[in-house]
Amino acid sequence: MPIARVALPVAAPTTFDYWIPEGLAVERGAIVRVRLGTRRLAGVVIATASDSEVDRAKLSPVVDVVGDERVPFDVLDLCAFVASYYQEAIGLAHALALPPLRAQAASRALRGSCRLTDEGRRALAALPARARSACGLRDRMLQDTALDVDTLTTHEKTILREWRRHRYVVPAGERAARPALELNAAQSEAAAAIAQSLGAYAAFMVNGVTGSGKTEVYLAAADAAIAAGGQVLMLVPEINLTPQLVDRMRAARPGLRVALMHSALAAGERRDAWRAAASGEAQLVLGTRLAVFAPLPSLALVVVDEEHDASYKQQDNVRYHARDAAIWRARRRDVPVVLGSATPSLETWLGARDGRYRRLDLPHRADARAQLPGVRLTPHRAAAAQDGIGDALRAGIAGCLARGEQSLVFVNRRGFATSLVCAACKWESQCTRCSARLTVHRQPPALRCHHCGHEERLPRACPSCGNVDLVPLGLGTQRLERALAAAFPRARIARVDRDSTRGRHAFASVRDKVEANAIDILVGTQMLAKGHDFPRLTLVGILGSDNALYSADFRATERLAALLVQVAGRAGRAGSPGEVIVQTDFPDHPVYTALLSHDYAQLADTLLAEREAAALPPVTHAALLSAEAHRREDVDAFMHAAHEIGIELRTLHAEVEVFSPVAALLARRAGYERSQLVVQSARRGALQRFLPAWRERMEALPGRRTRWAIDVDPAGFG
DNA sequence: AGCACGCCGACT
DNA sequence: GTCGGCGTGCTC
């Protein structure tokens, strides 16, 4: 009896067999609907066979085949690799490759940018001011000559669709192509090296300083791949970055067929993108980490932009690393892969040092007029009394304002203050469900936990002793914004953090304002760090970054270095020289001296030597077992057992080290007590042989009160 | 992951 | 007496 082996989206360790009814064409890669228990599920056929190990009586039939899409074989292989490498359920790993199955009529997708017609302009201007739902969009349409549809919320797209029916808006058409950017020597050399290697596996590390024009290198390499009839897969860390990147791509390459893939797309749009990729119609597939599973029949080149970025590692469900999956896939398909960054991860750095990756350097900014910014380190402690704004930074901002230039002040913490303490007794705002302090917020006023979302009223007096002298400790974006407003009352200030800027629309509107020169000072967190060109921005202030140096996580310094370089890179990108002022009390720390001398390479070598000395990743290979339960004793009991099993298995796996369980950095979160345990080996293969045996023994442990997971190649030991 | 089955405590 | 709490184990 013909059998289909189906990977179903359940946390079971195996696939499930179903018999194939006569007349139903079921082949490897087909998406089928089946019954599992009482449920009906869609899964992907990973193999067909002439019979099954399972009792015939237990087998049920394949219900039907969904559509005509097939998951390509290399993607099936990638999913199998991901399941095995990351110790995940085979079916959950394969679920990553399924197209969105909601068969809703593919909405006539709006693409690119739209502009108002004259009639539309009249109609919208005449719209009553209280037509609130459309108001923001209307204002933006009336202001802008063209609006990028990708930056809109789904609600706004609905409105826009309506307007298009009335012929109020029409597609803006392809923007006039930017004058073809002359590649400099380093750029054309890098692009040529990649282009020459098309047709076979090769891995490149493109190490280019901020503003060195890595995108142009990717584009030139992509041109070569596409000209030969190939498809290019380009991964980016965040959806925030895609609209701008797409704009640039479309402007530079009119007519380029791009498909976007990220989780913020509606099911219909995602399905369209999936089909465009699968049919070969899309020449460039641009997306976040999940795009690494896209069907690409003519894949010719893979690019991972900002490859150091932590968001490539999925932190829940299937804990895969999209960069590593991309490398695996490139090897499997025998095509080149490009890993680009201004601050390469130490994994990639080591790969380049060992000769596994070919190193391509872009040591200068592409625009010859744009110098790398000058960096100054000034003491932070001295600034504490002035809400964090030291004299140098104050003078710098004043200078910028006088010249009509923009400044950015960065602090990596939202809210007003880190915590609230009582000046009289020892009381401190503490989360009841986490081992963390509650952050002070003023807009709106509240004490909030950034780990579990718990919220309390902002107390007027100490809940413990009644004293009214409560002191907000530490610096957040809201406090900084207030201090800047007090210091520069006439400056136009915008705050950008997760609280102020929800959704893509909000971010795009700040970006537009900055571009329209309606903002003098930007205050914000991480959100501001990445990949946005602000030509008038000449000063960057970085506050509170020393906090990262206290972190117990071994990757903290590497992450800080990347963040500093990214933020500093916002300064002075177009002609005007930039300045970066970093307030630190550790000016001799290698991470700051590297920033001063613009020498990330030196820092990466130093950090790598430290990892070598301490036998830490990427020199060794690690997995992290993390567990949580409501009761401390349950976690401890589980971890104790897990540790014992690990030690016992070492008789068979001598090359693997099993460390003792320790409380997690955040020992309690949302009412769960948390612990973790590290296992590692100098050899990846040894760790890979150990992990399944260990996992199976742990799965057999009684007591399900503890939730646990294995994280292979964890982003940190936190 | 769901979902059912099963074996123990407080309710109309 | 049974309603339902969640701990345990199975699903082709």
Side-chain angles (χ1 to χ4, degrees):
Chain A
M1 184 171 14
I3 296 296
R5 201 143 288 157
V6 184
L8 292 169
V10 295
T14 57
T15 55
F16 295 85
D17 289 354
Y18 293 82
W19 57 269
I20 303 170
E22 205 136 334
L24 207 58
V26 174
E27 56 195 19
R28 177 162 145 90
I31 296 152
V32 294
R33 266 192 290 251
V34 295
R35 257 185 280 278
L36 181 70
T38 56
R39 292 177 293 165
R40 287 168 116 250
L41 293 171
V44 58
V45 176
I46 64 163
T48 53
S50 53
D51 74 287
S52 170
E53 313 247 295
V54 180
D55 258 352
R56 282 180 85 111
K58 282 173 76 181
L59 291 182
S60 75
V62 170
V63 174
D64 61 359
V65 178
V66 184
D68 55 359
E69 290 107 335
R70 298 287 178 269
V71 179
F73 291 179
D74 70 312
V75 176
L76 293 179
D77 291 348
L78 176 63
C79 294
F81 161 75
V82 162
S84 136
Y85 184 83
Y86 293 103
Q87 303 299 311
E88 298 285 0
I90 184 92
L92 294 181
H94 281 81
L96 297 165
L98 293 180
L101 292 176
R102 274 288 102 123
Q104 358 171 287
S107 57
R108 252 321 73 224
L110 292 159
R111 286 275 157 72
S113 30
C114 286
R115 67 173 179 81
L116 277 181
T117 57
D118 292 340
E119 187 198 340
R121 185 168 295 277
R122 276 193 301 275
L124 292 189
L127 219 64
R130 58 192 169 69
R132 270 206 335 153
S133 59
C135 204
L137 188 60
R138 182 190 66 174
D139 292 349
R140 285 168 66 202
M141 286 266 29
L142 288 172
Q143 268 171 30
D144 295 338
T145 46
L147 196 66
D148 185 348
V149 174
D150 294 320
T151 64
L152 300 180
T153 64
T154 38
H155 176 60
E156 288 169 330
K157 283 185 189 173
T158 314
I159 298 170
L160 203 59
R161 234 172 259 134
E162 182 82 11
W163 288 353
R164 199 159 72 157
R165 262 199 300 281
H166 290 95
R167 302 285 305 164
Y168 291 173
V169 297
V170 293
E174 248 87 44
R175 214 178 278 186
R178 239 188 241 190
L181 197 73
E182 201 63 18
L183 294 190
N184 64 33
Q187 284 174 311
S188 24
E189 200 176 305
I194 299 163
Q196 274 159 27
S197 72
L198 289 171
Y201 172 79
F204 297 91
M205 173 181 85
V206 173
N207 179 205
V209 299
T210 51
S212 61
K214 290 186 287 293
T215 309
E216 282 73 20
V217 173
Y218 307 151
L219 266 175
D223 282 344
I226 291 166
Q231 290 175 294
V232 177
L233 171 65
M234 187 181 295
L235 302 183
V236 293
E238 277 181 56
I239 42 170
N240 257 344
L241 295 178
T242 52
Q244 226 188 13
L245 197 54
V246 171
D247 269 6
R248 284 178 66 185
M249 301 274 182
R250 291 216 171 104
R253 301 288 183 276
L256 182 70
R257 296 195 299 273
V258 184
L260 274 186
M261 282 193 186
H262 55 76
S263 50
L265 292 178
E269 296 171 310
R270 254 165 94 178
R271 203 177 162 76
D272 286 351
W274 202 92
R275 299 183 88 115
S279 68
E281 183 204 322
Q283 298 162 308
L284 173 67
V285 172
L286 178 66
T288 53
R289 61 175 180 254
L290 57 90
V292 77
F293 297 98
L296 293 155
S298 333
L299 181 64
L301 173 68
V302 181
V303 176
V304 184
D305 190 22
E306 310 290 0
E307 63 79 24
H308 67 279
D309 198 286
S311 58
Y312 283 124
K313 183 75 200 281
Q314 183 146 302
Q315 294 293 357
D316 51 11
N317 298 323
V318 181
R319 300 172 181 239
Y320 69 99
H321 200 303
R323 180 233 295 141
D324 298 342
I327 297 167
W328 193 93
R329 192 170 180 193
R331 191 187 275 281
R332 165 75 173 72
R333 289 290 295 266
D334 211 18
V335 300
V337 57
V338 177
L339 311 173
S341 178
T343 52
S345 64
L346 294 186
E347 280 73 9
T348 301
W349 197 256
L350 181 64
R353 200 188 71 180
D354 291 351
R356 284 179 288 127
Y357 308 148
R358 210 169 126 194
R359 178 171 170 169
L360 302 171
D361 286 308
L362 305 175
H364 307 294
R365 286 195 159 179
D367 186 337
R369 298 168 304 160
Q371 296 301 302
L372 283 169
V375 179
R376 262 202 293 164
L377 306 178
T378 66
H380 186 63
R381 204 161 294 152
Q386 309 162 59
D387 275 339
I389 308 166
D391 294 338
L393 183 55
R394 188 179 302 263
I397 295 172
C400 268
L401 287 170
R403 291 190 301 274
E405 295 168 354
Q406 294 167 329
S407 359
L408 182 161
V409 188
F410 173 89
V411 60
N412 207 8
R413 188 168 269 141
R414 64 199 169 88
F416 185 83
T418 321
S419 71
L420 194 64
V421 298
C422 171
C425 70
K426 293 238 153 57
W427 180 86
E428 183 165 32
S429 58
Q430 188 76 37
C431 181
T432 52
R433 307 165 69 212
C434 307
S435 48
R437 290 178 297 238
L438 294 172
T439 307
V440 182
H441 283 251
R442 290 265 174 101
Q443 296 158 1
L447 291 175
R448 294 211 327 232
C449 178
H450 286 183
H451 299 284
C452 72
H454 171 75
E455 204 169 312
E456 290 178 16
R457 277 184 46 216
L458 201 56
R460 296 184 148 190
C462 174
S464 173
C465 73
N467 170 40
V468 292
D469 192 9
L470 293 176
V471 185
L473 278 190
L475 183 67
T477 45
Q478 293 178 7
R479 187 176 201 166
L480 193 54
E481 181 187 23
R482 194 189 64 166
L484 287 165
F488 305 104
R490 297 179 56 196
R492 296 159 301 173
I493 302 174
R495 173 163 60 90
V496 177
D497 56 32
R498 197 136 54 82
D499 301 316
S500 72
T501 314
R502 274 201 290 275
R504 288 180 288 166
H505 169 189
F507 191 86
S509 104
V510 172
R511 202 179 59 207
D512 291 351
K513 279 189 194 160
V514 174
E515 271 161 21
N517 210 19
I519 302 288
D520 301 309
I521 307 174
L522 270 171
V523 181
T525 58
Q526 302 262 23
M527 285 183 97
L528 285 174
K530 291 170 193 171
H532 305 283
D533 274 343
F534 296 131
R536 283 201 186 78
L537 186 68
T538 54
L539 176 72
V540 168
I542 300 176
L543 276 58
S545 55
D546 284 349
N547 285 323
L549 300 177
Y550 299 116
S551 169
D553 182 21
F554 74 93
R555 257 181 248 260
T557 309
E558 179 187 355
R559 280 201 300 260
L560 174 60
L563 192 61
L564 290 173
V565 172
Q566 299 289 342
V567 179
R570 300 307 110 220
R573 286 176 69 113
S576 8
E579 185 179 23
V580 180
I581 296 176
V582 187
Q583 293 187 177
T584 171
D585 293 321
F586 303 94
D588 298 327
H589 191 285
V591 77
Y592 292 121
T593 55
L595 188 67
L596 268 183
S597 54
H598 298 290
D599 195 352
Y600 180 79
Q602 166 72 43
L603 178 68
D605 285 337
T606 304
L607 292 178
L608 207 46
E610 282 174 19
R611 301 280 178 88
E612 214 144 23
L616 283 167
V619 182
T620 57
H621 306 279
L624 186 75
L625 171 68
S626 50
E628 59 179 29
H630 281 299
R631 297 200 320 226
R632 184 85 251 172
E633 62 255 45
D634 289 334
V635 198
D636 290 346
F638 174 83
M639 281 308 221
H640 180 74
H643 183 243
E644 297 252 286
I645 294 168
I647 295 293
E648 194 188 315
L649 286 172
R650 288 202 63 224
T651 54
L652 288 167
H653 302 269
E655 287 182 88
V656 175
E657 267 194 277
V658 180
F659 291 96
S660 295
V662 292
L665 283 184
L666 190 66
R668 200 154 57 90
R669 184 177 67 189
Y672 283 90
E673 301 288 339
R674 309 163 73 226
S675 278
Q676 59 181 43
L677 184 167
V678 173
V679 295
Q680 69 174 39
S681 174
R683 298 193 345 159
R684 200 190 289 274
L687 184 67
Q688 279 291 312
R689 284 188 294 278
F690 166 85
L691 288 175
W694 190 44
R695 178 174 50 77
E696 277 157 31
R697 290 280 306 275
M698 288 191 291
E699 278 164 356
L701 285 173
R704 293 284 169 85
R705 278 176 299 230
T706 307
R707 296 200 298 225
W708 57 273
I710 295 173
D711 191 351
V712 182
D713 300 337
F717 292 168

